[in-house]
Structures are given as C-alpha cells and as structure tokens.
Amino acid sequence: MATMTRIHLLSMPSSLRHKSSCVESLKRLPDTSSILPSFSSSAFIPQREKKNFRRLVVVAVSMADLPTVLVTGAGGRTGQIVYRKLKERTNQYVARGLVRTKDSKEKIGGADDVFVGDIRDSNSIVPAIQGIDALIILTSAVPKMKPGFDPSKGERPEFYFEDGAYPEQVDWIGQKNQIDAAKAVGVKQIVLVGSMGGTDLNNPLNSLGNGNILVWKRKAEQYLADTGIPYTIIRAGGLQDKEGGVRELLVGKDDELLQTETRTIARSDVAEVCIQALQFEESKFKALDLASKPEGTGTPTKDFKVLFSLISTRF
C-alpha cells in the first residue's frame, strides 16, 4: 500500500527561509497535482493536513518571490536597526544579517538568518552572500579611546585601532571583499553607508588613531561606483541615537551640508533611507550626503522618491 508523508506548516525546512534554496526545496516537495486530489478521498489524511500543505506551498512560493537583503555590520548600532526594520517587513523582504562574532549574533536575537563571518576574510562571508538580491553595507572600523583620559584636567582623548582592525583593513579591504562577493552572485543593488567629510583630507576623523578612515571609506566608495552594479552611497552626518521618522531629511553633495548647522541625523533615519533606496530607481547610481533638520522644524520626510530625485551626483 502506498504511503504518504504528512507535511506540517510548522515543520517547514529552514532552507525555505532563504530564497537561494527555496526553489530547490519546492522541487523536493510532493507533486501537488497528485497529492491534493488524493486528500479528498483519503480517510487517512485529515482536512487539517490538506490546509497546512496548501499553506506551506503558498508561503514557500511567496517567499521565493521576495528579494533577499543582506545587512553586514548587523551587530552595530545602525546595522541592528536596518536588520530589525527588514525583519518587520516580511511582505517585502527576506532579511539576512552578517556579524563578526557569535556574541553579536546572540545580541540581535540569534536567528538562523544571521551569519557569522569576518569581512576581511573573503571566504568566510560567502555563505551569507549566496543567493542575495541586495546588499546593505554598514561595516566600519571603530576607534577605541586610550585609557587614562581625564577630562577634568583639560586633556584631549586619544584613540587607537586594534591590530588588524584599522580602516585600511575594514573599510577598504573588508568592503572590497563584500562588493566582489556580491558582484559574483549577481546582486542587483548595493547600498553603502559612509560618512560626510571625505572631501577634506584634514578632516578630524582622519586623525583618529592615524587611521585615515575617511580616505579608505572613499576608496571603497569609488571602487563600488566603478563596478557597474546599481549602487546608492549614503554619506551620513553625525549619528544620533534618537527616534526616526520625525524630522525633515536633507540631502547634499561634496560635504556642502557640513557648512551648515544641520549636520546630524538619527540612526533610525539612516536605516530607513537604506531600505527606501531599494525601492526606487531614483536612488540608483547616486551618492548623497544625508542629514536632517532639528525635530520640530520643517516637515518630516515621507516621500523618499522625491528625496532621491533631489540628487543627481554619481559620486
């Protein structure tokens, strides 16, 4: 007598969470044309199973149609926000995250869609990038303050970068590795978040730990712009841990916003612009400086298509 395997919605294979393997997983499912009709006449398969199976196929096919977006630096303060926002939009995206350590993975929930890898090692990031449609790069070298700083004595803090974690290694080589890997899998768009100030070699950020961080960020941005991959380069102003969606956003070019009083932006607003950049053709092949008006002045930005249309600068 023929046997039939019961398929429960809750037992959906984890591979169906990722578009790259969703199609192959569907191929391994039983042929619905032969199974579903048999449900109606089989005394061994309850009505609940028929509904669950149909729901499984519908969910799997729907997820296969959604773009898979990888957020690198998902353990960082801005990266966490982008990853969380993507996870909340289950009808639009399949979210993935890349972090450097297992501790960082646990910090953002420890989900199966969070990969652990080191962007300085191109091989270690391949599993996370396989099958993605878009990449949002939020990795960055982070300077550390030298101990012994005493502001009460009028001292100025000194900074350093850990061995192997200088901007050249993280913001240049690490970002280049990500761009190359994404290009190899045919990614459709890359959003890269950098910082304003890169037009000035004497910008104070370059002196932190003698890392020339803006120089190396700018080098990675130019590399991305030269690949031919549709890109959006977002050079954010001073990042603030404030509520997003309540300010009027400002875009500019060539650090012109640094000459104004509006040079800061909430991390949550940067995160939202990253995701909105995936939705509009007006965002592609563009580089923009990003800041915001103070809360309570201007009109909170809601039309991101218009926002991206204000900029025509390719680099």
Side-chain angles (χ1 to χ4, degrees):
M1 182 174 64
T3 60
M4 182 179 297
T5 302
R6 293 187 176 185
I7 302 175
H8 295 268
L9 179 63
L10 293 179
S11 63
M12 181 187 295
S14 61
S15 59
L16 290 185
R17 301 171 191 167
H18 304 308
K19 180 179 176 183
S20 59
S21 56
C22 187
V23 174
E24 290 302 315
S25 297
L26 283 174
K27 291 178 180 177
R28 294 194 294 270
L29 291 176
D31 181 4
T32 60
S33 63
S34 62
I35 291 178
L36 292 181
S38 69
F39 277 162
S40 61
S41 59
S42 173
F44 300 101
I45 307 299
Q47 184 69 25
R48 175 168 54 95
E49 296 297 330
K50 290 184 279 185
K51 292 181 180 179
N52 282 347
F53 181 80
R54 292 191 182 98
R55 200 178 307 151
L56 167 62
V57 173
V58 169
V59 169
V61 172
S62 298
M63 291 185 72
D65 291 336
L66 296 177
T68 298
V69 183
L70 172 65
V71 181
T72 61
R77 284 189 287 174
T78 307
Q80 289 184 49
I81 302 172
V82 178
Y83 173 71
R84 186 182 70 244
K85 283 177 173 286
L86 287 171
K87 293 277 285 185
E88 292 170 350
R89 302 176 195 194
T90 54
N91 63 329
Q92 292 180 279
Y93 305 104
V94 176
R96 288 189 195 176
L98 177 69
V99 297
R100 190 168 60 87
T101 66
K102 291 181 179 179
D103 286 344
S104 292
K105 176 174 179 172
E106 293 303 316
K107 185 172 64 174
I108 60 173
D112 290 344
D113 55 33
V114 178
F115 295 74
V116 177
D118 189 334
I119 61 171
R120 297 166 297 180
D121 175 4
S122 57
N123 291 328
S124 77
I125 64 175
V126 169
I129 288 181
Q130 286 293 327
I132 66 170
D133 298 288
L135 171 64
I136 301 178
I137 299 177
L138 279 154
T139 54
S140 178
V142 179
K144 296 182 178 296
M145 186 183 298
K146 291 184 178 180
F149 166 59
D150 187 352
S152 65
K153 298 180 179 180
E155 297 176 350
R156 300 185 62 179
E158 294 185 32
F159 295 86
Y160 71 99
F161 292 95
E162 293 181 341
D163 289 343
Y166 275 79
E168 180 180 3
Q169 296 154 319
V170 177
D171 294 276
W172 164 233
I173 296 174
Q175 291 191 1
K176 179 179 181 296
N177 285 341
Q178 295 175 67
I179 294 166
D180 289 343
K183 184 175 182 178
V185 301
V187 75
K188 299 178 178 66
Q189 186 175 359
I190 296 178
V191 177
L192 190 159
V193 177
S195 302
M196 285 196 287
T199 61
D200 180 13
L201 289 176
N202 296 316
N203 188 288
L205 290 178
N206 283 327
S207 65
L208 294 180
N210 296 316
N212 284 319
I213 190 168
L214 296 181
V215 173
W216 295 112
K217 284 182 180 293
R218 198 82 169 184
K219 186 175 177 68
E221 293 169 4
Q222 185 66 67
Y223 185 80
L224 172 59
D226 291 341
T227 61
I229 301 170
Y231 65 87
T232 310
I233 297 170
I234 300 170
R235 299 172 180 137
L239 297 172
Q240 298 180 317
D241 296 314
K242 294 184 176 181
E243 179 186 0
V246 296
R247 297 170 186 80
E248 182 175 334
L249 304 184
L250 303 170
V251 293
K253 61 180 181 178
D254 299 328
D255 293 332
E256 59 189 12
L257 291 176
L258 289 179
Q259 309 308 314
T260 71
E261 296 300 317
T262 50
R263 296 173 289 183
T264 60
I265 186 166
R267 293 180 187 276
S268 186
D269 285 329
V270 174
E272 186 63 34
V273 173
C274 287
I275 296 174
Q276 292 290 337
L278 303 176
Q279 302 183 34
F280 300 104
E281 288 296 317
E282 287 80 3
S283 74
K284 294 180 179 178
F285 299 105
K286 290 183 178 179
L288 56 96
D289 296 345
L290 182 65
S292 69
K293 292 183 178 180
E295 184 176 351
T297 63
T299 303
T301 297
K302 303 298 181 184
D303 193 332
F304 290 88
K305 181 176 182 178
V306 169
L307 184 74
F308 292 124
S309 298
L310 297 175
I311 286 292
S312 59
T313 311
R314 293 181 65 91
F315 189 79

